[in-house]
Amino acid sequence: MKIVLLKITLLAIVSICQAQDLFKPLPLVENYNENIVNLGKELFYDKILSKNQDTSCYSCHDNYGADTKQFSIGHDGKEGNMNALSVFNLPYNLAYFWNGRSKTLREQMISGPLINDIEMASSKEIIEGRLITSEKYQKLFKKAYNQNPSFEKMLDAIIEYEKTLISVNSKFDKYLRNEVELDENEKNGMELFISYGCVSCHNGINIGGNSYQKFGSVIKYEQKRDSQWQDRFSLTNNVEDINVYKVPSLRNVEKTSPYFHDGSVASLKDTIYTMAYFNIGVVLEENEINDIESFLKTLTGEIPKNFENR
């Protein structure tokens, strides 16, 4: 009996050490300027930034920072062509958008939602004009920056706000900090996740978001829709980059359906099966899918205190 218990204890130690080598917990404390973040939060939720004042940043990121729709609806009811990634835990990504075309959060905002004809269709002139004539924003900008509203400070405030959207204290983070144990299914799911090689793409502090990989690296993935996806090829013109995308973070993945760049899969179980088949060449058994799903659910963290459902 003592030998069995010792073996179980040793296996548990090996599992936690292996996990700690591959993954890192999100930080519990982030320092920030409250006045700037409060301004950024107001701007993030305000439709005043869009051309027709019908879309805000929150409009496409209302569900754990992601969108429940396959493609987000923006300016004049236009539909996008890529599934919206979550804005939670953004600082831990190597780049932004599915193809990584923006290297910084500032680039992401300028080249993306604010001026994109499908999203907010706005401009620096429209935004500055509205903010300067707003009594509310005159006060908030003075409090945050001691100056009048400007496009540049607007960008800075939203970025500083987004940096606070960290979904801390998932069960897995607590496990990595040796505060809790995973149950049998969760631990088995983690070990399957590691042994099958899922961890080669989904690792680090964000359990992904730190590399580019081909979707369908083992078995070719056929697109569900006749459209030019914004993959790495759209930037590089290198045929090797066709169907290559930034690996998404798996944090909060149970909450951010639908999945993949094309938003084509609604179920987490189906997503696990699909990724194993196309990227590993493995047909998972039902019990394996269930255990991996149990593990992935431990990645759900707390809703950031600065994020509200409105």
Side-chain angles (χ1 to χ4, degrees), residues 160-177:
E160 291 305 305
Y161 167 65
E162 289 179 335
K163 287 178 181 178
T164 71
L165 301 181
I166 310 301
S167 57
V168 299
N169 281 328
S170 69
K171 183 175 182 179
F172 189 57
D173 282 348
K174 293 177 181 178
Y175 170 72
L176 292 175
R177 298 196 300 260

Side-chain angles (χ1 to χ4, degrees), residues 1 11 33 39 51 109 112 117 139-140 163 172 178 207 215 235 241 259 277 280 285 287 289 297:
M1 182 65 176
L11 287 173
N33 183 305
L39 168 60
K51 182 177 181 179
M109 290 195 62
D117 288 340
K139 292 178 180 178
L140 288 175
K163 287 178 181 178
F172 189 57
N178 295 303
I207 328 294
F215 191 3
L235 297 178
D241 286 334
Y259 304 106
Y277 179 73
I280 304 174
E285 299 291 336
N287 65 300
I289 293 173
K297 287 182 177 181

Side-chain angles (χ1 to χ4, degrees), residues 44 57 61 64-66 85-91 108 162 165 307:
F44 183 87
C57 302
H61 298 281
Y64 269 78
L85 288 161
S86 176
V87 293
F88 285 7
N89 310 310
L90 286 179
Q108 181 269 333
E162 289 179 335
L165 301 181
F307 189 82

Side-chain angles (χ1 to χ4, degrees), residues 42-213:
E42 285 296 318
L43 292 163
F44 183 87
Y45 285 91
D46 201 334
K47 296 179 179 180
I48 194 174
L49 302 182
S50 61
K51 182 177 181 179
N52 287 354
Q53 301 192 62
D54 56 359
T55 307
S56 68
C57 302
Y58 175 74
S59 298
C60 303
H61 298 281
D62 61 345
N63 176 58
Y64 269 78
D67 198 338
T68 56
K69 296 181 285 295
Q70 180 178 16
F71 304 114
S72 299
I73 305 300
H75 176 68
D76 275 349
K78 295 176 183 175
E79 185 180 73
N81 62 356
M82 301 289 283
N83 184 249
L85 288 161
S86 176
V87 293
F88 285 7
N89 310 310
L90 286 179
Y92 307 108
N93 288 292
L94 86 163
Y96 303 95
F97 299 114
W98 280 99
N99 60 6
R101 64 184 180 272
S102 295
K103 300 302 180 187
T104 67
L105 284 171
R106 185 180 184 281
E107 285 181 19
Q108 181 269 333
M109 290 195 62
I110 293 175
S111 65
L114 289 172
I115 63 172
N116 187 288
D117 288 340
I118 296 176
E119 297 182 63
M120 298 173 85
S122 196
S123 68
K124 175 181 178 180
E125 292 73 25
I126 290 173
I127 292 170
E128 279 195 343
R130 289 177 182 164
L131 295 178
I132 288 171
T133 56
S134 165
E135 185 176 335
K136 178 179 85 169
Y137 282 114
Q138 286 177 3
K139 292 178 180 178
L140 288 175
F141 273 83
K142 283 285 187 183
K143 190 172 183 179
Y145 296 106
N146 196 30
Q147 60 182 255
N148 291 325
S150 70
F151 185 78
E152 285 299 321
K153 292 303 182 186
M154 177 273 300
L155 292 175
D156 182 73
I158 294 178
I159 290 168
E160 291 305 305
Y161 167 65
E162 289 179 335
K163 287 178 181 178
T164 71
L165 301 181
I166 310 301
S167 57
V168 299
N169 281 328
S170 69
K171 183 175 182 179
F172 189 57
D173 282 348
K174 293 177 181 178
Y175 170 72
L176 292 175
R177 298 196 300 260
N178 295 303
E179 296 172 3
V180 300
E181 285 293 326
L182 301 183
D183 68 28
E184 183 179 350
N185 298 109
E186 294 164 348
K187 186 169 290 186
N188 189 50
M190 179 187 72
E191 290 168 355
L192 289 168
F193 188 85
I194 294 171
S195 63
Y196 274 128
C198 310
V199 73
S200 63
C201 299
H202 294 284
N203 53 63
I205 194 169
N206 228 5
I207 328 294
N210 55 2
S211 68
Y212 301 105
Q213 303 291 340

